[in-house]
Amino acid sequence: MKAAIYARRASVTQQDRSIDARIRPCQEYLERHGGTIVAIYSDDAISGSHLETRPGVQRLLEDAKNGLFDTVITEGLDCLSRDAEDIATIYKSFTDYNIAINTLQGGIISELHIGSRCKMSALFLHDLATKVRRGQKGQAKAESVPDGLSHGDDAVRELGGK
Protein backbone atom coordinates (compact mmCIF):
# COMPACT_ATOMS: atom_id res chain seq x y z
CA MET A 1 0.00 0.00 0.00
CA LYS A 2 1.50 3.30 -1.16
CA ALA A 3 -0.30 5.87 0.95
CA ALA A 4 -0.79 9.60 1.08
CA ILE A 5 -1.85 11.24 4.33
CA TYR A 6 -4.10 14.27 4.31
CA ALA A 7 -4.84 16.43 7.36
CA ARG A 8 -6.75 19.66 7.81
CA ARG A 9 -7.28 22.02 10.71
CA ALA A 10 -10.24 24.31 10.13
CA SER A 11 -9.13 27.39 12.03
CA VAL A 12 -6.43 28.86 14.23
CA THR A 13 -8.87 28.69 17.13
CA GLN A 14 -8.54 24.88 17.07
CA GLN A 15 -5.29 25.08 19.00
CA ASP A 16 -5.98 21.88 20.88
CA ARG A 17 -5.02 19.79 17.87
CA SER A 18 -2.28 20.87 15.50
CA ILE A 19 -1.77 19.47 12.02
CA ASP A 20 0.97 17.23 13.43
CA ALA A 21 -1.47 15.83 15.98
CA ARG A 22 -3.81 14.94 13.10
CA ILE A 23 -1.08 13.38 10.96
CA ARG A 24 0.47 11.25 13.72
CA PRO A 25 -2.45 8.78 14.11
CA CYS A 26 -2.48 8.27 10.34
CA GLN A 27 1.25 7.48 10.41
CA GLU A 28 0.70 5.04 13.28
CA TYR A 29 -2.14 3.37 11.36
CA LEU A 30 0.12 2.86 8.35
CA GLU A 31 2.92 1.47 10.54
CA ARG A 32 0.49 -1.10 12.01
CA HIS A 33 -0.89 -2.07 8.59
CA GLY A 34 2.34 -2.18 6.62
CA GLY A 35 1.76 0.82 4.39
CA THR A 36 4.41 3.09 2.95
CA ILE A 37 3.93 6.84 3.28
CA VAL A 38 4.78 8.46 -0.06
CA ALA A 39 3.45 11.95 0.67
CA ILE A 40 1.81 14.05 3.38
CA TYR A 41 -0.56 16.87 2.50
CA SER A 42 -2.19 19.41 4.78
CA ASP A 43 -4.18 22.61 4.94
CA ASP A 44 -3.86 24.56 8.17
CA ALA A 45 -6.48 27.05 9.34
CA ILE A 46 -8.57 26.64 6.18
CA SER A 47 -12.26 25.78 6.11
CA GLY A 48 -13.30 22.46 4.60
CA SER A 49 -16.20 24.05 2.76
CA HIS A 50 -14.26 25.39 -0.24
CA LEU A 51 -12.08 22.94 -2.17
CA GLU A 52 -10.53 25.50 -4.50
CA THR A 53 -9.01 27.58 -1.66
CA ARG A 54 -7.03 24.68 -0.17
CA PRO A 55 -3.57 24.19 -1.74
CA GLY A 56 -2.86 20.96 0.15
CA VAL A 57 -5.90 19.13 -1.15
CA GLN A 58 -5.28 20.56 -4.63
CA ARG A 59 -1.77 19.00 -4.61
CA LEU A 60 -3.29 15.74 -3.30
CA LEU A 61 -5.70 15.65 -6.27
CA GLU A 62 -2.94 16.45 -8.77
CA ASP A 63 -0.65 13.73 -7.40
CA ALA A 64 -3.57 11.27 -7.40
CA LYS A 65 -4.03 11.93 -11.11
CA ASN A 66 -0.31 11.21 -11.60
CA GLY A 67 -0.55 7.85 -9.76
CA LEU A 68 1.75 8.72 -6.86
CA PHE A 69 -0.24 6.61 -4.34
CA ASP A 70 -3.03 4.04 -4.19
CA THR A 71 -4.58 4.97 -0.82
CA VAL A 72 -5.39 8.20 1.01
CA ILE A 73 -5.45 8.05 4.80
CA THR A 74 -7.17 10.81 6.72
CA GLU A 75 -8.73 11.27 10.14
CA GLY A 76 -12.26 11.56 8.77
CA LEU A 77 -14.06 12.14 5.50
CA ASP A 78 -14.88 15.70 6.59
CA CYS A 79 -11.14 16.46 6.55
CA LEU A 80 -11.16 16.10 2.77
CA SER A 81 -14.23 18.31 2.42
CA ARG A 82 -17.45 19.31 4.12
CA ASP A 83 -19.09 20.26 0.83
CA ALA A 84 -21.27 17.47 -0.60
CA GLU A 85 -20.46 18.25 -4.22
CA ASP A 86 -16.73 18.48 -3.55
CA ILE A 87 -16.52 15.21 -1.61
CA ALA A 88 -18.49 13.42 -4.34
CA THR A 89 -16.06 14.83 -6.94
CA ILE A 90 -13.04 13.78 -4.88
CA TYR A 91 -14.47 10.29 -4.40
CA LYS A 92 -15.24 9.91 -8.10
CA SER A 93 -11.75 11.11 -9.08
CA PHE A 94 -10.07 8.73 -6.65
CA THR A 95 -12.28 5.85 -7.82
CA ASP A 96 -11.37 6.61 -11.45
CA TYR A 97 -7.67 6.52 -10.46
CA ASN A 98 -8.14 3.28 -8.41
CA ILE A 99 -7.33 5.08 -5.16
CA ALA A 100 -9.00 4.05 -1.91
CA ILE A 101 -9.99 6.52 0.80
CA ASN A 102 -9.40 5.13 4.26
CA THR A 103 -10.43 7.14 7.32
CA LEU A 104 -9.47 6.46 10.91
CA GLN A 105 -13.06 7.20 11.94
CA GLY A 106 -14.90 5.11 9.36
CA GLY A 107 -12.53 2.74 7.60
CA ILE A 108 -12.59 2.26 3.83
CA ILE A 109 -15.01 4.74 2.26
CA SER A 110 -17.70 3.49 -0.14
CA GLU A 111 -20.50 5.17 -2.09
CA LEU A 112 -22.78 4.59 0.90
CA HIS A 113 -20.45 6.62 3.13
CA ILE A 114 -20.32 9.41 0.57
CA GLY A 115 -24.11 9.79 0.52
CA SER A 116 -24.62 9.71 4.27
CA ARG A 117 -21.53 11.76 5.21
CA CYS A 118 -22.30 14.40 2.59
CA LYS A 119 -25.72 14.99 4.13
CA MET A 120 -24.26 15.17 7.64
CA SER A 121 -21.56 17.63 6.53
CA ALA A 122 -24.09 19.84 4.75
CA LEU A 123 -26.19 19.99 7.92
CA PHE A 124 -23.09 20.78 9.99
CA LEU A 125 -22.13 23.67 7.68
CA HIS A 126 -25.66 25.09 7.85
CA ASP A 127 -25.67 24.93 11.65
CA LEU A 128 -22.18 26.42 11.87
CA ALA A 129 -23.13 29.35 9.61
CA THR A 130 -26.15 30.08 11.81
CA LYS A 131 -23.99 30.07 14.95
CA VAL A 132 -21.30 32.26 13.39
CA ARG A 133 -23.89 34.85 12.30
CA ARG A 134 -25.40 34.82 15.79
CA GLY A 135 -21.96 35.45 17.31
CA GLN A 136 -21.20 38.23 14.84
CA LYS A 137 -24.49 39.96 15.64
CA GLY A 138 -23.66 39.74 19.35
CA GLN A 139 -20.25 41.29 18.74
CA ALA A 140 -21.76 44.07 16.65
CA LYS A 141 -24.29 44.87 19.38
CA ALA A 142 -21.40 45.03 21.85
CA GLU A 143 -19.78 47.56 19.46
CA SER A 144 -16.84 45.36 18.57
CA VAL A 145 -15.81 44.34 15.08
CA PRO A 146 -17.31 40.93 14.34
CA ASP A 147 -14.72 38.41 13.11
CA GLY A 148 -11.98 40.97 12.51
CA LEU A 149 -11.62 43.37 9.62
CA SER A 150 -12.92 42.61 6.18
CA HIS A 151 -12.68 43.93 2.63
CA GLY A 152 -9.46 45.83 3.27
CA ASP A 153 -10.90 48.02 6.03
CA ASP A 154 -8.51 49.68 8.46
CA ALA A 155 -9.07 49.89 12.20
CA VAL A 156 -9.59 53.47 13.34
CA ARG A 157 -9.09 53.96 17.04
CA GLU A 158 -10.60 56.88 18.91
CA LEU A 159 -9.41 58.07 22.29
CA GLY A 160 -11.78 56.41 24.76
CA GLY A 161 -13.55 54.56 21.93
CA LYS A 162 -14.16 50.84 21.71
Side-chain angles (χ1 to χ4, degrees):
M1 169 180 17
K2 293 187 318 183
I5 294 173
Y6 178 77
R8 180 181 61 82
R9 184 174 67 139
S11 71
V12 292
T13 59
Q14 289 184 314
Q15 295 172 356
D16 61 320
R17 301 235 7 242
S18 69
I19 285 292
D20 290 338
R22 294 164 197 271
I23 291 171
R24 198 169 309 112
C26 296
Q27 292 170 318
E28 292 166 358
Y29 175 90
L30 286 166
E31 287 171 12
R32 286 191 311 274
H33 292 88
T36 301
I37 301 168
V38 296
I40 297 175
Y41 307 85
S42 65
D43 289 303
D44 196 13
I46 301 176
S47 168
S49 62
H50 303 290
L51 189 62
E52 63 279 353
T53 61
R54 296 170 39 218
V57 83
Q58 292 298 323
R59 283 191 308 277
L60 174 75
L61 292 168
E62 187 63 31
D63 287 349
K65 186 171 25 176
N66 294 324
L68 187 62
F69 45 84
D70 56 35
T71 303
V72 174
I73 308 289
T74 189
E75 191 173 42
L77 192 56
D78 59 345
C79 292
L80 286 171
S81 183
R82 288 196 179 274
D83 180 83
E85 185 178 348
D86 287 346
I87 198 62
T89 299
I90 292 169
Y91 179 77
K92 183 174 182 339
S93 294
F94 285 172
T95 301
D96 289 347
Y97 305 139
N98 294 314
I99 296 171
I101 301 172
N102 192 343
T103 68
L104 301 181
Q105 295 171 351
I108 301 290
I109 299 301
S110 69
E111 287 181 13
L112 180 63
H113 292 99
I114 297 301
S116 61
R117 288 292 190 176
C118 284
K119 186 62 179 171
M120 290 170 50
S121 288
L123 291 171
F124 172 83
L125 284 176
H126 179 270
D127 290 346
L128 180 62
T130 301
K131 291 173 184 175
V132 166
R133 280 192 291 282
R134 182 187 66 222
Q136 289 173 333
K137 286 179 184 177
Q139 285 181 315
K141 285 182 181 180
E143 297 182 12
S144 71
V145 178
D147 200 34
L149 302 174
S150 60
H151 307 291
D153 294 337
D154 290 324
V156 177
R157 306 237 184 252
E158 295 178 28
L159 188 57
K162 293 185 179 181

